[in-house]
Amino acid sequence: MAIAYIGLGSNLGAPVDRLQSALRAIEELPATRVLKRSSLYRSEPQGYRDQPDFVNAVAELETGSDAPALLCDLHAIEQRAGRERSFANAPRTLDLDLLLYDGRRIDALGLTVPHPRMHERAFVLVPLLEIAPHIAIPGVGSARQCLERLHGQRVERLC
């Protein structure tokens, strides 16, 4: 069994409901269980700014799936939620990112772990640190130190 961290985000429709539904769908994946889930956070969009704020969270999973299979399962959950990939940083019904997988670095076709920009995004680091306060990002270092270097990214706890 491996430990994985998943980033969840949504800013279309009813984002809170979508994230709660996505967490239930993740719990139903074979050989996978949610160990911890963060609070929900509101954050401003990154990159393309002309869109609603996002609701974000992070979940810690225990899974028997390898990283590519888990990512495939996450993409299937996104598709069922109506995810469209129209352009980079576009508004989305649901975004599920494989952030970390068993403390490993993975660079394969269509899969990079740790997620390449997670250390630059407060909307990932704040909920991650809530459930894993001492976690390190392989090849980068302490997630807490990464967050301390970020400025000007608004992240507000909702519940």
Side-chain angles (χ1 to χ4, degrees):
M1 298 296 278
I3 300 297
Y5 291 87
I6 308 302
L8 302 92
S10 175
N11 72 339
L12 294 178
V16 170
D17 294 339
R18 288 194 190 276
L19 293 192
Q20 291 170 342
S21 178
L23 284 165
R24 285 191 299 274
I26 291 168
E27 288 179 337
E28 294 172 2
L29 293 175
T32 299
R33 68 184 178 116
V34 176
L35 300 176
K36 296 179 187 174
R37 58 181 77 180
S38 73
S39 302
L40 300 179
Y41 292 85
R42 180 187 340 260
S43 65
E44 60 191 1
Q46 302 291 308
Y48 178 67
R49 298 243 187 227
D50 189 21
Q51 60 181 317
D53 283 352
F54 278 84
V55 176
N56 299 99
V58 170
E60 178 185 46
L61 314 180
E62 181 180 60
T63 184
S65 295
D66 64 17
L70 180 58
L71 183 63
C72 185
D73 288 339
L74 296 175
H75 285 170
I77 293 169
E78 287 179 342
Q79 286 181 323
R80 288 194 302 271
R83 169 78 189 260
E84 295 180 10
R85 297 179 184 274
S86 52
F87 60 91
N89 300 311
R92 34 196 98 102
T93 55
L94 182 63
D95 187 23
L96 300 175
D97 289 326
L98 179 53
L99 302 172
L100 300 167
Y101 185 87
D102 220 27
R104 295 176 39 208
R105 294 174 77 175
I106 303 168
D107 194 5
L109 185 61
L111 175 62
T112 303
V113 177
H115 190 282
R117 292 169 305 283
M118 68 177 285
H119 64 284
E120 301 170 348
R121 295 178 168 169
F123 67 83
V124 171
L125 295 173
V126 170
L128 175 63
L129 287 164
E130 177 187 333
I131 62 173
H134 303 292
I135 198 157
I137 302 168
V140 176
S142 161
R144 184 162 309 284
Q145 289 176 347
C146 290
L147 180 61
E148 289 169 359
R149 289 190 290 265
L150 298 180
H151 302 286
Q153 294 183 29
R154 179 179 51 83
V155 178
E156 169 190 348
R157 185 175 176 192
L158 295 176
C159 56

